Amino acid sequence: MSETRQLPAPVPEVNPETEPFWAATARGELLVKQCAECASVIWYPRALCPDCGSLRTRWQPVSGRGRVYSYTVNHRGEGPYRDCGPYVLAYVELDDGPRLMTNIVGAGDSADVVGELAVGLPVEVVFHDTGEGSALPRFRPRAN
Ligand SMILES: [Zn+2]
């Protein structure tokens, strides 16, 4: 049996606007922003509401549950992903609204999940520690 393939967890670029998001991932918590003026859920994390322009936005924890909206199987990655194909790049639509670009991983957080994939597949967030005070939110299949 071959060893379990894992995806690398490269350190993200953190700036003052996204620091609370990444700090939360290190605690195993997924945050999104919500606009205090128009109630839009904002993704990706940023200071300004893209719908109404308000700067009155606040962080909200979300469940981390959602469904695969779209996906592709990458056979040849770049940079730290160069030798880890095939792996899954996907949009996950959270139950709370926004769609995140992410990876889908399998049992034991392995990269081997291709056979389970389908649009609409129920998934839940898992966090892959970067070792630098942040973790990458990825998703794995879940029972309904
Ligand atoms: Zn707004």
Side-chain angles (χ1 to χ4, degrees):
M1 202 66 206
S2 65
E3 68 185 64
T4 302
R5 295 185 310 112
Q6 303 273 342
L7 290 177
V11 178
E13 190 174 320
V14 178
N15 63 42
E17 285 187 31
T18 61
E19 192 281 328
F21 173 82
W22 292 114
T25 62
R27 302 188 302 267
E29 190 177 21
L30 188 61
L31 300 181
V32 300
K33 277 214 158 173
Q34 186 167 25
C35 179
E37 297 287 344
C38 75
S40 282
V41 176
I42 299 164
W43 184 262
Y44 54 91
R46 66 196 113 164
L48 184 78
C49 173
D51 288 331
C52 76
S54 175
L55 287 167
R56 291 188 56 225
T57 60
R58 58 182 170 233
W59 294 103
Q60 301 281 3
V62 293
S63 70
R65 293 162 64 90
R67 290 180 183 271
V68 172
Y69 177 79
S70 183
Y71 68 89
T72 189
V73 179
N74 241 20
H75 290 268
R76 264 184 52 182
E78 294 186 3
Y81 294 87
R82 179 184 315 269
D83 297 319
C84 62
Y87 64 96
V88 180
L89 197 57
Y91 276 106
V92 164
E93 186 169 81
L94 295 179
D95 291 352
D96 308 272
R99 289 180 196 143
L100 288 62
M101 183 176 277
T102 184
N103 301 115
I104 309 294
V105 296
D109 295 346
S110 80
D112 301 307
V113 69
V114 173
E116 298 179 61
L117 285 171
V119 168
L121 181 74
V123 291
E124 63 189 359
V125 72
V126 293
F127 294 95
H128 289 182
D129 190 359
T130 65
E132 299 281 340
S134 59
L136 303 184
R138 289 173 170 154
F139 289 79
R140 66 182 171 208
R142 65 173 162 86
N144 258 329

